[in-house]
C-alpha cells in the first residue's frame, strides 16, 4: 500500500512526530506501541519527555523493538536501559516491556513475540542497510521475532552508540509481527538515509531491503525530514502533508 509520506524540515521534525503521537495517546490512552532505539528518535524522545502531560502515558504499554544480545545494563548501547533513559523514565507508561535475556535466548525471543502481539502502533527506524529493528538484509515479510546475527553495518552502528561489547547478535520483533500492528510509522531522518529510503519506497520489494516489505502494511506512515526525503523521485505518488518540501 502507498504510505502517507509526511516530510518536515529537520528542525520541526521531532515536534511534528511528537504531536502526532500525543494525538494518538489522547484518542486511545491504552495504546500498545513498540519503540526503537538508535539516533533517529533521540530528538523525538526529548520532545515527548519535555511535553508529556501528567498522565498522558499512564495507561500505555511500550514494547522495546529490538536489542543487542549480551550487553551489560550500563553499556550505552544496551537497548532497554537506553529507552528508559531517553523516554520511558520520563513519560512513565503503565507497562514497559524490555527484552528479558535471562535463560535460553530462543525462549526470550518467543516471550517477546507474545509481548508484541496485537500492537496498536509499531514505530520503527530505518537502518542504513535497510533493516527494520534487527530484521537484517535477508529477512522476509514472514520473519518471526528471533535471535539474529548482526549485519556488519549494524555492528558498526553499535560502536557509534558507544558500546564496548562489540555485539554479534540481536533480538528483534519480527517483520511478521510488525506487519500485524494496526498502524506502522517509519521514522527516517538525515541525508545518509536518503538512498536507502528511496530503495525502500521505490525499489523492488526484496529481502535485500527488508524495509521494502513495509509496503504490505495497509496503514503505514513515513515520517521523514526533508534531507531523508530528498531523493524520492516519484513524490507525486505519495500523499503528502507538506507537498512543498517534496519536489
Ligand atoms: C539500530 C536499531 C534499530 C534502529 C535502526 C536505525 O541499529 N537496531 O532499532 O531503528 O538501527 O538506527 P539509527 O536511528 O541510529 O540510524
Amino acid at each position: 500500500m502507498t504510505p502517507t509520506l509526511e516530510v518536515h524540515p529537520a528542525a520541526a521534525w521531532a515536534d511534528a512526530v511528537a504531536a502526532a503521537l500525543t494525538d494518538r495517546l489522547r484518542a486511545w490512552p491504552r495504546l500498545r506501541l513498540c519503540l526503537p532505539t538508535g539516533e533517529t528518535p533521540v530528538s523525538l524522545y526529548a520532545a515527548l519527555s519535555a511535553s508529556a502531560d501528567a498522565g498522558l502515558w499512564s495507561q500505555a504499554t511500550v514494547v522495546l523493538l529490538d536489542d543487542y544480545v549480551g550487553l551489560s545494563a550500563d553499556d550505552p548501547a544496551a537497548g532497554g536501559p537506553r529507552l528508559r533513559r531517553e523516554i520511558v523514565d520520563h513519560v512513565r507508561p503503565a507497562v514497559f516491556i524490555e527484552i528479558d535475556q535471562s535463560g535460553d535466548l530462543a525462549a526470550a525471543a518467543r516471550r517477546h513475540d507474545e509481548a508484541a502481539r496485537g500492537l496498536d502502533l509499531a514505530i520503527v527506524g530505518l537502518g542504513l542497510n535497510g533493516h527494520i529493528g534487527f530484521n537484517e538484509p535477508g529477512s522476509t515479510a514472514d520473519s518471526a521475532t528471533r535471535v539474529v546475527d548482526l549485519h556488519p553495518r549494524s555492528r558498526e552502528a553499535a560502536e557509534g552508540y558507544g558500546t564496548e561489547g562489540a555485539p554479534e547478535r540481536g533480538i528483534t520483533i519480527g517483520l511478521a509481527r510488525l506487519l500485524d500492528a494496526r498502524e506502522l510509522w517509519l521514522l527516517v531522518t538525515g541525508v545518509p538515509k536518503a538512498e536507502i529510503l528511496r530503495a525502500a519506497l521505490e525499489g523492488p520489494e526484496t529481502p535485500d531491503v527488508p524495509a521494502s516489505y513495509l509496503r504490505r502494511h495497509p496503514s503505514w506512515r513515513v515520517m521523514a525530514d526533508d534531507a531523508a526525503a530528498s531523493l524520492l523521485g516519484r513524490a507525486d505518488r505519495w500523499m503528502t502533508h507538506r507537498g512543498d518540501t517534496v519536489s
Side-chain angles (χ1 to χ4, degrees), residues 4-237:
T4 301
L5 172 65
E6 230 181 285
V7 182
H8 300 278
W13 178 85
D15 284 343
V17 180
L21 183 50
T22 299
D23 283 352
R24 283 290 183 285
L25 283 161
R26 290 211 174 105
W28 186 245
R30 298 176 65 181
L31 199 70
R32 288 174 51 78
L33 73 166
C34 74
L35 291 177
T37 51
E39 292 309 298
T40 307
V42 169
S43 59
L44 166 66
Y45 295 161
L48 287 164
S49 298
S51 71
D53 312 343
L56 180 66
W57 292 70
S58 63
Q59 297 178 61
T61 296
V62 171
V63 182
L64 180 63
L65 172 63
D66 60 355
D67 205 349
Y68 301 101
V69 166
L71 295 187
S72 66
D74 58 1
D75 190 298
R82 182 172 183 179
L83 205 65
R84 281 185 191 277
R85 275 195 311 277
E86 292 184 357
I87 179 165
V88 169
D89 287 349
H90 307 281
V91 302
R92 299 183 170 277
V95 179
F96 173 46
I97 304 176
E98 303 187 39
I99 303 178
D100 167 13
Q101 298 183 17
S102 55
D104 174 46
L105 286 179
R110 282 197 298 277
R111 282 195 301 275
H112 205 61
D113 192 56
E114 280 305 309
R117 191 185 281 277
L119 290 172
D120 298 301
L121 175 60
I123 298 184
V124 298
L126 176 65
L128 280 171
N129 61 4
H131 74 200
I132 295 295
F134 281 136
N135 292 278
E136 301 281 31
S139 302
T140 49
D142 59 358
S143 293
T145 301
R146 66 206 186 285
V147 182
V148 295
D149 291 330
L150 296 180
H151 187 273
R153 287 189 97 157
S154 299
R155 301 190 64 196
E156 245 170 61
E159 282 161 24
Y161 304 149
T163 185
E164 289 171 9
E168 291 179 1
R169 292 185 296 170
I171 295 182
T172 186
I173 298 178
L175 280 174
R177 209 35 105 215
L178 295 170
L179 289 169
D180 266 356
R182 273 206 339 212
E183 198 183 353
L184 195 148
W185 294 1
L186 175 65
L187 310 181
V188 199
T189 59
V191 173
K193 297 280 174 71
E195 188 60 55
I196 194 68
L197 181 61
R198 175 164 66 176
L201 297 185
E202 299 179 355
E205 189 180 276
T206 165
D208 296 342
V209 182
S212 64
Y213 291 111
L214 299 186
R215 294 181 212 165
R216 296 189 181 185
H217 199 285
S219 178
W220 73 297
R221 186 166 170 179
V222 178
M223 301 169 117
D225 70 1
D226 40 16
S230 59
L231 294 181
L232 296 180
R234 286 148 49 189
D236 54 325
R237 276 180 44 196

